[in-house]
Amino acid sequence: MRHNKNFNHLGRQAGHRKAMLSNMASSLILHKRIETTVAKAKAVRMFIEPLVTKSKEDTTHSRRVVFSYLKQKEAVTELFRTIAPKIAERPGGYTRILKTGFRLGDAADMCIIEFVDFNEAYTFGTASVAAAEVKPKTRRSRAKKATDAVEEVAVVESAEAPAKAAAPKKAAAPKKAAAPKAPKAAAAKTAAPKVAKKTNVGKKM
């Protein structure tokens, strides 16, 4: 029976429970998503959402209050620098719980708890639209630059073509007259003595 039990004690003493929730909240802030049981996820959601609301006002007092709960400087810095600007327009409901089934050992009801604004699958369309609005427009895209460069090269080549046609052609250099080759065969014939050919005339058959 409940007997005036206002919140889930999670089967732990106060010190153990506060330390566990503090660690889980810090992990959720640093990693934007953690896997745990549904009971713990609901307890973490009650623990962390007031701190996220507190982070919308970035003052020394707010940082000290959040640090008194989280006990981690890295988590406090991440909350105020990264998460707070992104959820500034959201009036509440910063986290969502997605059930994933039952744990194999003890059949505990498992889930994933995550920040709503940091899930790319859910915020794909809105994020792209916001990025398109925020992103400053450039004069030319890379593809347009490439096509412009090709067009400029074509224009330069077409301008150079008539200039080449108009330029006078250089006179061809006269070919050197080939030196007369020495008649090697004639010289060889004159140098060798003539030998009488043998014939069969006058021989007895």
Side-chain angles (χ1 to χ4, degrees):
M1 287 184 287
R2 280 184 66 250
H3 287 304
N4 204 23
K5 185 177 175 184
N6 294 323
F7 62 94
N8 192 346
H9 293 267
L10 300 173
R12 290 163 172 82
Q13 298 295 324
H16 187 180
R17 184 173 57 252
K18 288 177 183 177
M20 184 191 69
L21 292 176
S22 173
N23 287 335
M24 291 178 71
S26 298
S27 298
L28 180 59
I29 290 168
L30 293 173
H31 302 289
K32 312 300 183 292
R33 169 188 293 191
I34 58 173
E35 185 179 6
T36 182
T37 60
V38 173
K40 287 180 185 175
K42 289 179 179 178
V44 170
R45 182 173 59 186
M46 291 174 61
F47 181 86
I48 199 172
E49 294 213 353
L51 301 182
V52 177
T53 302
K54 197 78 173 171
S55 70
K56 290 182 178 180
E57 186 182 357
D58 191 0
T59 60
T60 305
H61 177 66
S62 297
R63 284 179 177 260
R64 284 175 177 170
V65 169
V66 172
F67 179 75
S68 69
Y69 285 91
L70 295 179
K71 309 287 195 303
Q72 285 191 29
K73 291 181 180 179
E74 296 82 3
V76 174
T77 303
E78 181 73 11
L79 178 62
F80 279 86
R81 285 188 183 175
T82 307
I83 296 174
K86 204 159 187 178
I87 53 92
E89 302 299 323
R90 189 175 289 278
Y94 312 110
T95 58
R96 77 161 59 88
I97 293 173
L98 303 172
K99 294 187 178 183
T100 58
F102 299 95
R103 190 158 55 191
L104 210 57
D106 57 354
D109 200 1
M110 301 297 290
C111 69
I112 291 172
I113 180 170
E114 63 182 8
F115 280 105
V116 171
D117 295 296
F118 288 87
N119 189 328
E120 295 177 0
Y122 279 80
T123 59
F124 180 72
T126 56
S128 61
V129 170
E133 291 176 356
V134 174
K135 186 179 179 182
K137 293 182 179 179
T138 55
R139 288 187 299 173
R140 294 180 181 179
S141 63
R142 292 182 182 176
K144 194 173 181 182
K145 285 182 181 178
T147 53
D148 290 346
V150 172
E151 288 175 1
E152 288 176 5
V153 170
V155 170
V156 170
E157 287 179 354
S158 60
E160 287 178 355
K164 287 181 180 178
K169 292 183 179 180
K170 293 182 179 179
K175 293 182 181 180
K176 293 182 180 179
K181 293 181 180 180
K184 293 180 180 179
K189 286 180 182 178
T190 53
K194 290 184 179 181
V195 179
K197 292 182 180 180
K198 293 182 180 180
T199 59
N200 295 329
V201 179
K203 286 186 178 181
K204 289 181 181 182
M205 300 299 291

